Amino acid sequence: MASVETSEKQFFVIEGLPRSGTTILTNIMNSFDNGFCFSEPIWQLMQDPFNLKLGKLNKKIWPNSLKPNTVIEQLKNVLKDDMYSIGGLKETYRDWQTECVDMVLDSDLQFRIFILRDPRYNFSGWKKSPFGSEYYDVDIFARNYERFCDRIKEKSQVTPTYVIKYENLCKSDDTLSYLSDTFGDRLCITGSLHLKQTGYHYGDARGNSSSLISAPRETTDNLTSYEIGRCNEIMPLYEDLKEGLC
């Protein structure tokens, strides 16, 4: 098992656009024997509060005690347990529904993690998702991508902020070395990575059940020429953001 050494307990959030790799990163963070990451608890409690799956935190917290505006406090209480060095949550960014990310305050965090995906493949994933009409509109996607990148720059001014690129995470020969390089002195990662099913209800089903980190899907066969062109227009946002500490 992999584990993390820190100078003090660290509470964090993972943010990303839909279909950008947030679930597999959440799975990795849950794979540390002394860490946890709850997948979209705020969004779940807003959408389906009576079907909450606790995953790794089963018997650590109780569903009936969780509300959208209290979940951060509850998770930070779990982190006080001696067995944990790091703990956090993942929430997904959509500019037409920002309540879930807005509830995660900078003052609650030791650091933020933002994950980005090549916009062409990210939007291809949106079009494969039966989530609603917004996911089939490349202009809505581009607007969200731009605003998300602005959010990274904004948050990096107030909270230690780390950027991960999904393609590089998945292509790395050694995932833990990639993460060690990304987080630098903040996290000392040791051991070997063994993914387990997260047990979470929200997030990508394949990522939640994965025991392996698969190669990233890099196809655009479901995109029109206009959609590819629109994604290429925002490609500099992806290319210009450097991995690691902002």
Side-chain angles (χ1 to χ4, degrees), residues 29 111 113 162 164 179-187 189:
M29 300 302 279
F111 65 101
I113 307 170
Y162 297 85
I164 286 175
L179 293 176
S180 292
D181 291 342
T182 298
F183 294 119
D185 295 336
R186 180 167 295 276
L187 304 179
I189 300 171

Side-chain angles (χ1 to χ4, degrees), residues 93-197:
Y93 177 84
R94 311 165 186 84
D95 70 2
W96 64 89
Q97 191 284 318
T98 63
E99 292 93 331
C100 55
V101 294
D102 290 340
M103 283 189 183
V104 186
L105 303 179
D106 297 305
S107 58
D108 287 324
L109 302 168
Q110 274 66 58
F111 65 101
R112 289 180 179 270
I113 307 170
F114 290 96
I115 185 166
L116 281 171
R117 188 174 186 177
D118 181 308
R120 298 166 298 178
Y121 311 134
N122 199 166
F123 182 61
S124 175
W126 277 41
K127 286 192 71 177
K128 293 176 182 287
S129 303
F131 292 153
S133 59
E134 297 93 346
Y135 291 85
Y136 300 95
D137 189 322
V138 71
D139 292 316
I140 291 178
F141 168 77
R143 183 190 73 206
N144 272 262
Y145 206 97
E146 291 166 347
R147 291 179 176 176
F148 184 67
C149 289
D150 286 342
R151 180 175 174 84
I152 295 174
K153 295 174 183 177
E154 172 194 337
K155 292 301 182 182
S156 69
Q157 301 302 308
V158 292
T159 307
T161 295
Y162 297 85
V163 170
I164 286 175
K165 293 188 176 179
Y166 171 71
E167 284 80 14
N168 293 341
L169 173 70
C170 293
K171 290 179 179 178
S172 174
D173 293 331
D174 185 339
T175 303
L176 294 186
S177 292
Y178 172 88
L179 293 176
S180 292
D181 291 342
T182 298
F183 294 119
D185 295 336
R186 180 167 295 276
L187 304 179
C188 179
I189 300 171
T190 59
S192 55
L193 182 62
H194 298 282
L195 293 184
K196 297 181 179 180
Q197 292 188 2

